[in-house]
């Protein structure tokens, strides 16, 4: 289990805890408190992952979660979570606990990516032998699950007698919330002191709603959350964005950070170094064709005579048990054209998690701060800085020129006291706009008769050659 002290909470929670739930960062929620203040011993539910947001920025990592807490909201908030933006531009499931007893924030060691439309089930179960709770969350589609146990602190003398279902973290713009505008919790099971509560008297409430958000009690086993991704945010509502966010950096920048183009071409020089064991000390020079809108990317290493094409947009059913995208490597001829007869391919699948790789856009986090004007590489720029703690302490400096053109991006990470990782990426000849479809053409890679051969399977395409 990871333990972090929420930066925004340190001042407020020094000495005696003075805050509690509901948090000011909640939009809409549903609650139930046992009338006799008895202990909740089990709470289970199932819900679907919403669609992707139209805007990939400005969302402050919205979360859809349920959990348990004391009747006064001042103890351990036990909460399995589905969140967008927790680990980049994707949905993530994980377990967590924000404990108001000492202001500490705890998260599970594991977390997994889930896709829009996936079904997620989760449970919270009490363990009497050590006064703790087991959290569990699983994706039905991938089978990936996260478990975490949290022991109630000795300083907490109240029962966990209150249940919550919550929509949390206000956006800077409503388009940063999923366009589907709906998340429904179903098959809810609540148990108090080991006995099922058959007809739960849920109450729907508003804390700091935005984007016309609301919670609705459909019945004792079904709760519905709705919002309007096309709504406008009123000026007087934006002050709520100052509320601390638990699973994002607690500082929310009120200024609109530059929105970088999703489709672009640029010449890039990328340097890496550092003291962390195994980090490469190298410089790579290449031309990148970046089409995030259509989930495809090409990188030409002209000096080395080859190109790599990443086709995240094509999900091939030849991969089992689920379709996966493919990556291709080909030699470049003297005119810079890929040679299809030299083609090798591999599955774009994470070797550690078994999940499909995802294409990520070049974006500046919404919680970045404007550090002012400066000059880099002889170009006048504005410096935007973002600091993160999860999963490791990292500082990102974005040097942005006129018309939101990136000039350089520097990253410095301190890996848990074991060393540093430093990356400097310089962009020149940056052109935003459509890229011809032919740029991403690849030969047929079907087994047996395809021109492109599989890495690590065909002797013409050894795996080491493919990944170098």
């Amino acid at each position: 289990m990871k333990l972090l002290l929420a930066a925004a909470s340190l001042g407020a929670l020094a000495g005696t805890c003075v805050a509690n739930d509901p948090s000011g960062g909640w939009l809409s929620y549903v609650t139930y408190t046992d009338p006799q203040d008895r202990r909740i011993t089990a709470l289970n539910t199932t819900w679907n992952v919403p669609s992707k947001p139209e805007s990939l920025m400005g969302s402050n990592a919205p979360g859809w979660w349920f959990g348990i807490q004391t009747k006064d909201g001042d103890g351990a908030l036990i909460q399995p979570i589905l969140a967008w933006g927790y680990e980049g531009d994707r949905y993530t499931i994980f377990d967590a606990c924000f404990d108001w007893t000492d202001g500490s924030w705890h998260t599970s060691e594991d977390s997994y990516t889930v896709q829009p439309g996936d079904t997620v089930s989760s449970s919270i179960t009490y363990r009497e032998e050590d006064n703790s709770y087991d959290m569990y969350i699983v994706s039905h589609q991938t089978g990936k699950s996260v478990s975490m146990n949290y022991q109630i602190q000795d300083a907490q003398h109240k029962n966990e007698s209150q249940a919550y279902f919550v929509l949390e973290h206000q956006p800077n713009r409503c388009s940063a919330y999923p366009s589907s505008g709906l998340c429904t919790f179903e098959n809810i099971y609540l148990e108090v002191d080991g006995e099922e509560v058959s007809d739960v008297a849920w109450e729907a409430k508003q804390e700091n709603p935005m984007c016309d958000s609301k919670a609705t009690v459909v019945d004792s086993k079904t709760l519905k959350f709705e919002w309007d991704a096309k709504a406008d945010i009123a000026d007087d509502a934006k002050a709520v964005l100052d509320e601390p966010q638990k699973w994002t950096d607690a500082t929310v920048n009120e200024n609109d950070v530059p929105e970088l183009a999703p489709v672009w071409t640029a010449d890039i020089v990328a340097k890496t170094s550092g003291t962390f064991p195994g980090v490469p000390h190298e410089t790579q020079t290449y031309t990148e064709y970046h089409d995030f809108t259509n989930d495809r990317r090409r990188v030409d290493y002209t000096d080395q005579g080859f190109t790599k094409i990443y086709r995240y947009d094509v999900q091939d059913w030849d991969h089992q048990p689920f379709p996966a995208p493919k990556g291709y490597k080909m030699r470049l001829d003297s005119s810079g054209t890929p040679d299809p007869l030299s083609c090798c391919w591999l599955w774009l699948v994470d070797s550690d998690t078994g999940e499909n790789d995802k294409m990520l856009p070049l974006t500046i986090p919404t919680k970045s701060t404007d550090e002012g004007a400066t000059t880099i590489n002889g170009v006048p720029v504005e410096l935007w800085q973002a600091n993160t703690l999860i999963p490791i302490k990292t500082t990102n400096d974005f040097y942005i020129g006129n018309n939101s053109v990136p000039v350089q991006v520097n990253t410095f990470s301190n890996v848990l006291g074991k060393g540093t990782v430093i990356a400097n990426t310089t962009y020149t000849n940056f052109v935003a706009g459509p890229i011809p479809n032919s740029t991403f053409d690849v030969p047929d890679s079907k087994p047996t008769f395809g021109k492109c051969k599989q890495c690590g399977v065909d002797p013409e395409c050894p795996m080491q050659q493919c990944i170098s």
Side-chain angles (χ1 to χ4, degrees):
M1 180 172 62
K2 304 172 189 174
L3 169 60
L4 296 170
L5 286 178
S9 302
L10 292 179
L13 299 173
T16 302
C17 179
V18 296
N20 56 11
D21 291 314
S23 164
W26 298 7
L27 283 76
S28 307
Y29 69 100
V30 178
T31 184
Y32 168 79
T33 303
D34 181 71
Q36 302 174 48
D37 195 26
R38 296 175 298 171
R39 177 182 289 113
I40 294 174
T41 49
L43 181 58
N44 310 335
T45 190
T46 298
W47 70 105
N48 289 330
V49 180
S51 63
K52 285 185 178 181
E54 179 180 328
S55 172
L56 301 180
M57 300 172 62
S59 59
N60 294 329
W64 298 260
W65 56 267
F66 71 101
I68 57 174
Q69 174 61 284
T70 66
K71 65 180 178 61
D72 297 317
D74 56 2
L77 178 59
I78 311 289
Q79 49 180 160
I81 295 170
L82 165 69
W84 170 270
Y86 177 63
E87 294 179 335
D89 297 315
R90 54 188 178 271
Y91 284 104
T92 304
I93 54 173
F94 62 104
D95 296 320
C97 174
F98 189 88
D99 200 331
W100 288 106
T101 308
D102 60 0
S104 58
W105 170 236
H106 311 255
T107 61
S108 53
E109 292 289 347
D110 296 325
S111 60
Y112 291 110
T113 298
V114 292
Q115 301 298 324
D118 282 2
T119 300
V120 175
S121 290
S122 188
S123 64
I124 299 173
T125 309
Y126 181 65
R127 294 202 324 199
E128 185 177 4
E129 59 268 26
D130 60 359
N131 193 28
S132 70
Y133 282 91
D134 289 323
M135 286 171 275
Y136 177 80
I137 187 167
V138 62
S139 163
H140 290 206
Q141 277 62 32
T142 67
K144 298 289 186 180
S145 64
V146 182
S147 298
M148 172 178 158
N149 176 266
Y150 187 77
Q151 188 166 14
I152 301 300
Q153 297 190 35
D154 292 340
Q156 178 180 322
H157 304 295
K158 302 174 184 177
N159 284 333
E160 299 275 312
S161 61
Q162 184 167 203
Y164 287 121
F165 285 77
V166 179
L167 172 60
E168 183 170 14
H169 292 170
Q170 284 80 5
N172 292 323
R173 57 183 73 110
C174 292
S175 61
Y177 259 61
S179 55
S180 60
L182 178 66
C183 181
T184 304
F185 292 87
E186 301 176 296
N187 304 315
I188 299 171
Y189 174 86
L190 176 65
E191 187 180 279
V192 173
D193 279 353
E195 296 184 359
E196 180 183 0
V197 181
S198 58
D199 190 12
V200 186
W202 297 108
E203 291 184 78
K205 297 188 176 184
Q206 301 282 66
E207 185 65 18
N208 282 307
M210 284 188 177
C211 307
D212 297 329
S213 66
K214 66 176 181 178
T216 303
V217 179
V218 179
D219 54 47
S220 64
K221 295 185 179 297
T222 311
L223 307 175
K224 181 169 64 175
F225 287 84
E226 297 173 280
W227 59 91
D228 183 359
K230 296 186 181 299
D232 292 326
I233 296 179
D235 290 339
D236 58 356
K238 293 180 179 178
V240 180
L241 297 173
D242 291 330
E243 291 290 340
Q245 315 295 330
K246 291 199 289 289
W247 55 83
T248 62
D249 191 304
T251 301
V252 179
N253 178 36
E254 293 181 354
N255 300 310
D256 288 331
V257 300
E259 224 176 316
L260 306 184
V263 182
W264 50 266
T265 304
D267 294 325
I268 294 175
V269 177
K271 300 179 181 180
T272 56
S273 62
T275 61
F276 186 74
V279 65
H281 290 241
E282 62 183 9
T283 299
Q284 293 187 325
T285 302
Y286 53 88
T287 299
E288 179 164 347
Y289 304 87
H290 187 102
D291 185 359
F292 180 73
T293 299
N294 295 298
D295 273 344
R296 51 193 186 178
R297 178 175 179 248
R298 171 173 159 176
V299 181
D300 284 2
Y301 298 88
T302 306
D303 292 345
Q304 296 163 271
F306 67 87
T307 185
K308 292 184 177 182
I309 299 176
Y310 303 81
R311 293 299 300 269
Y312 301 97
D313 58 319
V314 178
Q315 301 291 313
D316 195 318
W317 277 100
D318 286 333
H319 182 272
Q320 295 296 325
F322 52 84
K326 287 181 175 180
Y328 303 80
K329 183 177 181 179
M330 289 177 276
R331 289 194 298 268
L332 294 171
D333 64 20
S334 58
S335 66
T337 302
D339 176 11
L341 297 179
S342 68
C343 181
C344 299
W345 70 270
L346 48 68
W347 297 113
L348 297 178
V349 175
D350 191 303
S351 58
D352 294 326
T353 67
E355 298 180 356
N356 288 350
D357 286 343
K358 305 293 189 302
M359 184 176 178
L360 299 177
L362 176 62
T363 58
I364 304 174
T366 55
K367 49 189 176 289
S368 301
T369 56
D370 188 350
E371 299 296 324
T374 185
T375 300
I376 194 165
N377 303 329
V379 180
V381 294
E382 194 78 8
L383 170 58
W384 293 84
Q385 187 174 90
N387 295 289
T388 60
L389 294 174
I390 300 173
I392 56 177
K393 185 176 181 180
T394 301
T395 297
N396 300 282
D397 290 332
F398 299 86
Y399 296 89
I400 308 300
N402 292 333
N403 301 315
S404 297
V405 170
V407 176
Q408 185 163 317
V409 178
N410 297 338
T411 301
F412 179 88
S413 301
N414 189 339
V415 188
L416 302 176
K418 297 180 181 179
T420 60
V421 179
I422 302 170
N424 308 108
T425 306
T426 302
Y427 299 82
T428 56
N429 302 318
F430 186 95
V431 178
I435 302 171
N437 291 330
S438 59
T439 304
F440 305 98
D441 284 348
V442 293
D444 193 338
S445 58
K446 289 293 183 182
T448 307
F449 58 82
K451 287 184 180 180
C452 197
K453 309 302 181 183
Q454 185 173 0
C455 298
V457 175
D458 192 287
E460 296 182 30
C461 297
M463 184 60 72
Q464 188 57 40
Q465 173 184 306
C466 290
I467 62 177
S468 62

